[in-house]
Amino acid sequence: MTQSTADDQLTARADQVVARMERVPVSRFHGRVVGLLGTGTFFDSFDTLSLSVVLSTIAATLHLGAGDAGWVISAGFLGQAIGAVVFGLISERLGRKRVFVLALGLLGLMAAGSAVAWDGWSLGTARFVQGLGLGAEVPVAAALLNEFVHGRARGRVLMLYKLLFPAGTLAASLVGALLLATLPPTQSWRVLFAIGALPVLVAVLAAWRLPESPRFLVRRGRTEEAERIVAEMERSAGVPAARVEGTTPPADLARTRFGEIFSTRYRRRTLTVWTLWFTTYFTLWGMTTWLPSLYVSVGGLSPSAASLLLGAVTIGYFALLVVMSATVDRLGRRFWFLLGYGVALAGAGVALLLWALGALHGWVPLCVAGTTLLLGVNINAPLVYLYTSELYPTRMRSWGTMAGSSWRNVAAVVAPVAVGQMLQARLGIGAVFGLFLVTLLVGLAVQLRFGTETKQAALEELAG
């Protein structure tokens, strides 16, 4: 057998791996993948929000001003930005599974480190190192999950998986409220961070039970391993193992070139999704990070009541994600992106109007405007993970998703500091909502002009 014939046979087997995966319906196998990835994502959001929930208590305990607290917050997001890029590069070499396990273990270990912090610098350092893992976990999980699910159900499955993110947010709010109400201030935030160390155990389980993406494996020449995993998927779904005939998009076996996301073919996609990431998460993290503290300083609520209020808002987000999961593969990604930006802009606009009328005081108007804004950007937040990983081929899907998510983290570095400095300079809460309004308008304009639809297509068809 000549080398050319052998290569042709490997290519044909790789194409069959993709074709067989596209015919496998969602089954218990996918449930296991979603369960493991979702548990990691649960603790990702738990650890991310924990600092916001107990920020006022930490500031009092460690004697941090608004500007100092903003820098502690941003240290974690700076780590996430770096982690997304570094692990994104590594994930195309080591695989999605290994990077997920490494990231999850790191964020758990550094949650324990945050629990024993003694000043702003030590806490900021722990949050920075933890951010390296936090920045990689969710985007690599989204890329991995997308590569397991056929095109007709990809949006539904990923939206259901993303339910674990607000679940972690809700858990952080409720557990934080309980700890704030029952423990001394110097202990409550330390216990909350210690709970966030549990992902270390999840990482051990994932190393044992989480499969690698067959799409990644065939690219690395590990075709037999990929075929075994696909056969397991078929057995779980009750689909007979058989050759798939007909026109099927070929597997992506090309070599990874990290600069390809800036090539003529992918440049517009890259700039589009980077704008979506930045505008969505600048607003999301700017509001999420500071809203509990604003409920206390502007609304007059206690820290525990502010935490419970944020948790109540999260319950509405659960219902929203369920609706999105049922419709995103039918109505499409662009429909939901435009709706998300529209709702968020309505919230920012209401806040500006109330501020101009002198009525933006007390927790009720702040809650109405802030909740509307947050619901809008929380529509876009899970969508941008799904959307980004659909726009790149397998050879750079994880890298492209993580590179995009790094702009989420860049925005998250800038937003808490910007809001903190604006509040410390007494520019007023109206100026903060005005900044969010302009940011959201940019995102809406880019999606309207350059966004493309990706619903119900195989990943190989969308590769460009």
Side-chain angles (χ1 to χ4, degrees):
M1 180 186 298
T2 66
Q3 183 62 46
S4 176
T5 302
D7 290 343
D8 289 344
Q9 290 181 350
L10 283 176
T11 300
R13 289 171 64 187
D15 292 344
Q16 279 296 303
V17 165
V18 171
R20 289 164 63 188
M21 290 180 70
E22 283 297 316
R23 70 169 184 163
V24 174
V26 177
S27 67
R28 292 179 61 186
F29 176 94
H30 296 92
R32 168 159 58 96
V33 174
V34 169
L36 289 169
L37 297 178
T39 302
T41 297
F42 173 92
F43 281 106
D44 186 303
S45 67
F46 183 96
D47 282 334
T48 299
L49 189 68
S50 291
L51 182 59
S52 300
V53 170
V54 293
L55 180 60
S56 57
T57 303
I58 292 174
T61 302
L62 301 181
H63 309 292
L64 304 178
D68 295 330
W71 284 112
V72 169
I73 296 166
S74 295
F77 290 121
L78 177 60
Q80 289 186 37
I82 296 172
V85 173
V86 172
F87 280 113
L89 295 171
I90 295 174
S91 66
E92 300 297 354
R93 305 297 188 193
L94 296 183
R96 287 76 159 115
K97 172 184 175 177
R98 289 181 180 176
V99 166
F100 176 80
V101 171
L102 287 172
L104 200 58
L106 183 60
L107 76 88
L109 289 173
M110 287 300 101
S114 298
V116 297
W118 57 91
D119 59 16
W121 280 104
S122 59
L123 179 59
T125 300
R127 296 292 295 185
F128 170 79
V129 179
Q130 184 188 39
L132 298 175
L134 288 167
E137 188 275 326
V138 176
V140 77
L144 177 57
L145 182 57
N146 266 1
E147 291 182 346
F148 272 114
V149 185
H150 65 82
R152 298 178 305 281
R154 192 169 54 244
R156 171 168 58 89
V157 172
L158 193 120
M159 290 300 110
L160 290 174
Y161 146 76
K162 291 296 288 185
L163 280 170
L164 275 297
F165 196 90
T169 300
L170 179 61
S173 299
L174 297 179
V175 173
L178 176 63
L179 295 175
L180 287 167
T182 57
L183 295 178
T186 55
Q187 296 179 16
S188 57
W189 62 273
R190 297 184 186 277
V191 175
L192 185 64
F193 285 158
I195 294 172
L198 290 174
V200 172
L201 301 179
V202 182
V204 173
L205 181 62
W208 174 44
R209 293 288 292 161
L210 182 67
E212 181 57 271
S213 163
R215 283 178 160 100
F216 168 80
L217 290 172
V218 296
R219 277 202 62 256
R220 304 299 292 177
R222 295 157 62 181
T223 308
E224 291 185 3
E225 187 178 347
E227 290 171 334
R228 287 196 297 270
I229 294 173
V230 174
E232 182 184 354
M233 294 172 64
E234 291 169 331
R235 287 193 299 271
S236 177
V239 174
R243 180 177 178 81
V244 179
E245 302 294 343
T247 57
T248 303
D252 176 24
L253 302 180
R255 179 175 174 268
T256 297
R257 294 185 296 110
F258 294 114
E260 191 178 359
I261 60 174
F262 304 112
S263 66
T264 303
R265 177 180 293 183
Y266 294 105
R267 184 185 306 134
R268 191 173 82 169
R269 296 184 181 194
T270 296
L271 295 178
T272 298
V273 295
W274 283 11
T275 302
L276 299 180
W277 280 101
F278 184 86
T279 56
T280 294
Y281 278 96
F282 181 91
T283 310
L284 177 60
W285 290 123
M287 279 299 294
T288 303
T289 300
W290 282 102
L291 193 56
S293 295
L294 291 174
Y295 282 145
V296 174
S297 60
V298 177
L301 295 178
S302 66
S304 59
S307 180
L308 284 173
L309 186 58
L310 193 62
V313 172
T314 306
I315 295 175
Y317 183 38
F318 278 104
L320 180 63
L321 273 176
V322 172
V323 174
M324 290 176 66
S325 70
T327 60
V328 71
D329 286 317
R330 178 166 50 88
L331 297 178
R333 285 50 159 159
R334 272 175 56 80
F335 169 86
W336 279 105
F337 267 124
L338 298 179
L339 180 62
Y341 277 118
V343 171
L345 282 166
V350 167
L352 279 175
L353 178 62
L354 292 173
W355 175 71
L357 295 174
L360 193 59
H361 52 78
W363 69 270
V364 175
L366 184 61
C367 179
V368 171
T371 299
T372 304
L373 189 153
L374 280 176
L375 284 178
V377 291
N378 272 307
I379 290 174
N380 292 354
L383 271 180
V384 74
Y385 284 98
L386 168 66
Y387 191 60
T388 304
S389 60
E390 290 176 326
L391 292 177
Y392 293 109
T394 302
R395 63 182 177 274
M396 56 178 177
R397 180 168 297 115
S398 183
W399 159 237
T401 303
M402 290 199 191
S405 74
S406 69
W407 285 97
R408 172 196 78 161
N409 303 315
V410 169
V413 170
V414 176
V417 173
V419 174
Q421 295 298 326
M422 292 173 78
L423 294 174
Q424 190 165 291
R426 302 187 184 278
L427 295 179
I429 194 172
V432 173
F433 279 101
L435 178 61
F436 292 152
L437 181 71
V438 173
T439 302
L440 292 165
L441 283 172
V442 172
L444 176 63
V446 168
Q447 177 56 242
L448 281 169
R449 177 64 179 85
F450 300 111
T452 58
E453 187 53 70
T454 59
K455 64 179 181 180
Q456 298 192 10
L459 291 173
E460 286 71 20
E461 295 178 49
L462 298 170

